[in-house]
Short mmCIF file of all heavy atoms in Angstrom, two decimals:
data_model
loop_
_atom_site.label_atom_id
_atom_site.label_comp_id
_atom_site.label_asym_id
_atom_site.label_seq_id
_atom_site.Cartn_x
_atom_site.Cartn_y
_atom_site.Cartn_z
N GLU A 33 0.86 -1.19 0.00
CA GLU A 33 0.00 0.00 0.00
C GLU A 33 0.89 1.24 0.00
O GLU A 33 2.09 1.16 0.28
CB GLU A 33 -0.92 0.03 1.23
CG GLU A 33 -2.13 -0.85 1.11
CD GLU A 33 -3.09 -0.48 -0.01
OE1 GLU A 33 -3.06 0.67 -0.51
OE2 GLU A 33 -3.88 -1.35 -0.41
N SER A 34 0.29 2.38 -0.28
CA SER A 34 1.06 3.63 -0.28
C SER A 34 0.68 4.54 0.88
O SER A 34 1.41 5.45 1.20
CB SER A 34 0.84 4.37 -1.60
OG SER A 34 -0.51 4.75 -1.72
N ASP A 35 -0.45 4.28 1.50
CA ASP A 35 -0.94 5.13 2.59
C ASP A 35 -0.84 4.36 3.91
O ASP A 35 -1.43 3.28 4.03
CB ASP A 35 -2.39 5.52 2.30
CG ASP A 35 -2.95 6.48 3.32
OD1 ASP A 35 -2.98 6.13 4.52
OD2 ASP A 35 -3.39 7.57 2.92
N PRO A 36 -0.14 4.92 4.90
CA PRO A 36 0.02 4.20 6.16
C PRO A 36 -1.29 3.95 6.91
O PRO A 36 -1.43 2.91 7.57
CB PRO A 36 0.96 5.08 6.99
CG PRO A 36 1.05 6.37 6.28
CD PRO A 36 0.59 6.18 4.88
N LEU A 37 -2.26 4.85 6.80
CA LEU A 37 -3.55 4.63 7.47
C LEU A 37 -4.29 3.44 6.86
O LEU A 37 -4.85 2.61 7.57
CB LEU A 37 -4.42 5.88 7.39
CG LEU A 37 -3.96 7.07 8.23
CD1 LEU A 37 -4.83 8.29 7.94
CD2 LEU A 37 -4.00 6.72 9.70
N ILE A 38 -4.27 3.36 5.54
CA ILE A 38 -4.93 2.24 4.86
C ILE A 38 -4.21 0.94 5.18
O ILE A 38 -4.84 -0.08 5.47
CB ILE A 38 -5.00 2.50 3.34
CG1 ILE A 38 -5.96 3.67 3.07
CG2 ILE A 38 -5.45 1.24 2.60
CD1 ILE A 38 -5.98 4.15 1.63
N ALA A 39 -2.89 0.97 5.17
CA ALA A 39 -2.11 -0.24 5.48
C ALA A 39 -2.42 -0.74 6.89
O ALA A 39 -2.59 -1.94 7.11
CB ALA A 39 -0.62 0.05 5.33
N ARG A 40 -2.52 0.18 7.85
CA ARG A 40 -2.82 -0.21 9.23
C ARG A 40 -4.22 -0.81 9.33
O ARG A 40 -4.43 -1.82 10.00
CB ARG A 40 -2.69 0.98 10.17
CG ARG A 40 -2.90 0.63 11.62
CD ARG A 40 -2.59 1.81 12.53
NE ARG A 40 -2.58 1.42 13.91
CZ ARG A 40 -3.65 1.34 14.69
NH1 ARG A 40 -4.84 1.62 14.20
NH2 ARG A 40 -3.56 0.98 15.95
N ALA A 41 -5.17 -0.19 8.64
CA ALA A 41 -6.55 -0.70 8.67
C ALA A 41 -6.61 -2.10 8.06
O ALA A 41 -7.29 -2.99 8.59
CB ALA A 41 -7.47 0.25 7.92
N GLU A 42 -5.90 -2.33 6.97
CA GLU A 42 -5.90 -3.64 6.34
C GLU A 42 -5.23 -4.69 7.23
O GLU A 42 -5.70 -5.82 7.31
CB GLU A 42 -5.21 -3.57 4.97
CG GLU A 42 -6.04 -2.82 3.96
CD GLU A 42 -5.35 -2.56 2.65
OE1 GLU A 42 -4.12 -2.79 2.54
OE2 GLU A 42 -6.04 -2.13 1.72
N ALA A 43 -4.16 -4.30 7.89
CA ALA A 43 -3.48 -5.23 8.80
C ALA A 43 -4.41 -5.66 9.93
O ALA A 43 -4.42 -6.83 10.33
CB ALA A 43 -2.20 -4.60 9.34
N LYS A 44 -5.22 -4.73 10.44
CA LYS A 44 -6.19 -5.08 11.49
C LYS A 44 -7.23 -6.06 10.97
O LYS A 44 -7.58 -7.02 11.65
CB LYS A 44 -6.89 -3.82 12.02
CG LYS A 44 -6.05 -3.02 12.99
CD LYS A 44 -6.72 -1.73 13.38
CE LYS A 44 -7.99 -1.92 14.13
NZ LYS A 44 -8.56 -0.66 14.63
N LEU A 45 -7.71 -5.83 9.74
CA LEU A 45 -8.70 -6.73 9.16
C LEU A 45 -8.13 -8.12 8.92
O LEU A 45 -8.82 -9.13 9.09
CB LEU A 45 -9.24 -6.15 7.85
CG LEU A 45 -10.10 -4.89 7.96
CD1 LEU A 45 -10.41 -4.34 6.57
CD2 LEU A 45 -11.38 -5.16 8.73
N LEU A 46 -6.86 -8.18 8.55
CA LEU A 46 -6.21 -9.47 8.30
C LEU A 46 -6.23 -10.38 9.52
O LEU A 46 -6.24 -11.61 9.39
CB LEU A 46 -4.75 -9.26 7.87
CG LEU A 46 -4.53 -8.96 6.41
CD1 LEU A 46 -3.09 -8.54 6.17
CD2 LEU A 46 -4.89 -10.15 5.56
N ASN A 47 -6.23 -9.79 10.70
CA ASN A 47 -6.26 -10.58 11.93
C ASN A 47 -7.60 -11.26 12.17
O ASN A 47 -7.72 -12.09 13.05
CB ASN A 47 -5.94 -9.69 13.14
CG ASN A 47 -4.51 -9.25 13.15
OD1 ASN A 47 -3.62 -9.95 12.66
ND2 ASN A 47 -4.26 -8.06 13.69
N ARG A 48 -8.62 -10.92 11.37
CA ARG A 48 -9.96 -11.44 11.58
C ARG A 48 -10.35 -12.51 10.57
O ARG A 48 -11.51 -12.88 10.47
CB ARG A 48 -10.99 -10.30 11.53
CG ARG A 48 -10.70 -9.08 12.39
CD ARG A 48 -10.38 -9.32 13.85
NE ARG A 48 -11.14 -10.36 14.48
CZ ARG A 48 -10.69 -11.08 15.52
NH1 ARG A 48 -9.51 -10.86 16.03
NH2 ARG A 48 -11.44 -12.03 16.05
N THR A 49 -9.39 -12.98 9.77
CA THR A 49 -9.73 -13.95 8.72
C THR A 49 -8.72 -15.08 8.62
O THR A 49 -7.58 -14.94 9.03
CB THR A 49 -9.84 -13.24 7.34
OG1 THR A 49 -10.37 -14.16 6.39
CG2 THR A 49 -8.50 -12.73 6.86
N GLU A 50 -9.19 -16.18 8.05
CA GLU A 50 -8.33 -17.34 7.84
C GLU A 50 -7.67 -17.29 6.46
O GLU A 50 -6.53 -17.69 6.30
CB GLU A 50 -9.18 -18.62 7.91
CG GLU A 50 -9.88 -18.80 9.23
CD GLU A 50 -10.98 -19.86 9.15
OE1 GLU A 50 -11.00 -20.66 8.20
OE2 GLU A 50 -11.83 -19.87 10.06
N ARG A 51 -8.40 -16.82 5.46
CA ARG A 51 -7.94 -16.91 4.08
C ARG A 51 -7.95 -15.53 3.43
O ARG A 51 -8.98 -14.86 3.42
CB ARG A 51 -8.87 -17.85 3.32
CG ARG A 51 -8.49 -18.09 1.90
CD ARG A 51 -9.37 -19.16 1.27
NE ARG A 51 -9.07 -19.22 -0.15
CZ ARG A 51 -9.92 -19.57 -1.08
NH1 ARG A 51 -11.15 -19.93 -0.75
NH2 ARG A 51 -9.56 -19.60 -2.34
N LEU A 52 -6.80 -15.11 2.88
CA LEU A 52 -6.69 -13.82 2.21
C LEU A 52 -6.71 -14.02 0.70
O LEU A 52 -5.88 -14.76 0.15
CB LEU A 52 -5.40 -13.11 2.62
CG LEU A 52 -5.11 -11.79 1.89
CD1 LEU A 52 -6.23 -10.77 2.12
CD2 LEU A 52 -3.76 -11.24 2.34
N ILE A 53 -7.63 -13.33 0.05
CA ILE A 53 -7.77 -13.36 -1.40
C ILE A 53 -7.50 -11.95 -1.91
O ILE A 53 -8.23 -11.01 -1.56
CB ILE A 53 -9.16 -13.85 -1.82
CG1 ILE A 53 -9.41 -15.26 -1.23
CG2 ILE A 53 -9.31 -13.84 -3.34
CD1 ILE A 53 -10.84 -15.71 -1.26
N VAL A 54 -6.44 -11.79 -2.70
CA VAL A 54 -6.03 -10.47 -3.19
C VAL A 54 -6.52 -10.30 -4.62
O VAL A 54 -6.30 -11.15 -5.47
CB VAL A 54 -4.49 -10.31 -3.11
CG1 VAL A 54 -4.08 -8.94 -3.62
CG2 VAL A 54 -4.01 -10.50 -1.68
N LEU A 55 -7.21 -9.18 -4.85
CA LEU A 55 -7.78 -8.86 -6.16
C LEU A 55 -6.95 -7.73 -6.78
O LEU A 55 -7.00 -6.61 -6.30
CB LEU A 55 -9.23 -8.41 -6.03
CG LEU A 55 -10.14 -9.25 -5.12
CD1 LEU A 55 -11.54 -8.66 -5.07
CD2 LEU A 55 -10.17 -10.69 -5.57
N VAL A 56 -6.19 -8.06 -7.83
CA VAL A 56 -5.32 -7.07 -8.44
C VAL A 56 -5.32 -7.22 -9.96
O VAL A 56 -5.15 -8.31 -10.47
CB VAL A 56 -3.86 -7.16 -7.93
CG1 VAL A 56 -3.75 -6.63 -6.51
CG2 VAL A 56 -3.32 -8.58 -8.00
N ASP A 57 -5.53 -6.10 -10.65
CA ASP A 57 -5.40 -6.16 -12.10
C ASP A 57 -3.91 -6.17 -12.45
O ASP A 57 -3.06 -5.92 -11.59
CB ASP A 57 -6.16 -5.02 -12.78
CG ASP A 57 -5.56 -3.66 -12.50
OD1 ASP A 57 -4.41 -3.42 -12.93
OD2 ASP A 57 -6.24 -2.83 -11.86
N SER A 58 -3.61 -6.46 -13.70
CA SER A 58 -2.22 -6.66 -14.11
C SER A 58 -1.34 -5.44 -13.90
O SER A 58 -0.12 -5.57 -13.73
CB SER A 58 -2.16 -7.11 -15.57
OG SER A 58 -2.85 -6.22 -16.41
N SER A 59 -1.90 -4.25 -13.87
CA SER A 59 -1.09 -3.05 -13.64
C SER A 59 -0.52 -3.01 -12.22
O SER A 59 0.46 -2.29 -11.96
CB SER A 59 -1.91 -1.78 -13.90
OG SER A 59 -2.86 -1.58 -12.86
N LYS A 60 -1.09 -3.76 -11.29
CA LYS A 60 -0.66 -3.72 -9.88
C LYS A 60 0.61 -4.55 -9.63
O LYS A 60 1.11 -4.58 -8.52
CB LYS A 60 -1.77 -4.22 -8.97
CG LYS A 60 -3.08 -3.47 -9.12
CD LYS A 60 -2.99 -2.06 -8.61
CE LYS A 60 -4.27 -1.30 -8.82
NZ LYS A 60 -5.14 -1.23 -7.70
N PHE A 61 1.13 -5.22 -10.66
CA PHE A 61 2.34 -6.01 -10.49
C PHE A 61 3.60 -5.18 -10.69
O PHE A 61 4.70 -5.69 -10.57
CB PHE A 61 2.33 -7.22 -11.44
CG PHE A 61 1.36 -8.28 -11.00
CD1 PHE A 61 0.08 -8.33 -11.52
CD2 PHE A 61 1.73 -9.23 -10.06
CE1 PHE A 61 -0.82 -9.31 -11.12
CE2 PHE A 61 0.83 -10.21 -9.64
CZ PHE A 61 -0.44 -10.25 -10.18
N ARG A 62 3.45 -3.90 -10.98
CA ARG A 62 4.60 -3.01 -11.07
C ARG A 62 4.95 -2.54 -9.67
O ARG A 62 4.07 -2.11 -8.92
CB ARG A 62 4.28 -1.80 -11.96
CG ARG A 62 4.32 -2.14 -13.43
CD ARG A 62 4.10 -0.91 -14.29
NE ARG A 62 2.72 -1.02 -14.80
CZ ARG A 62 1.79 -0.10 -14.66
NH1 ARG A 62 2.04 1.02 -14.04
NH2 ARG A 62 0.59 -0.29 -15.16
#
């Protein structure tokens, strides 16, 4: 991520799940 607030919020959400599914179009691999 590029924004620390968004990164922190996502890290908190990650603690609440078993399986992470990342949705990224091909431009996000740069």
Side-chain angles (χ1 to χ4, degrees):
E33 281 297 341
S34 64
D35 184 301
L37 289 174
I38 292 172
R40 184 173 189 275
E42 289 173 349
K44 282 175 64 174
L45 291 173
L46 277 170
N47 291 330
R48 310 308 322 152
T49 189
E50 300 165 17
R51 183 174 173 209
L52 175 60
I53 302 165
V54 180
L55 314 179
V56 286
D57 67 65
S58 54
S59 73
K60 304 291 177 97
F61 287 95
R62 283 184 255 125

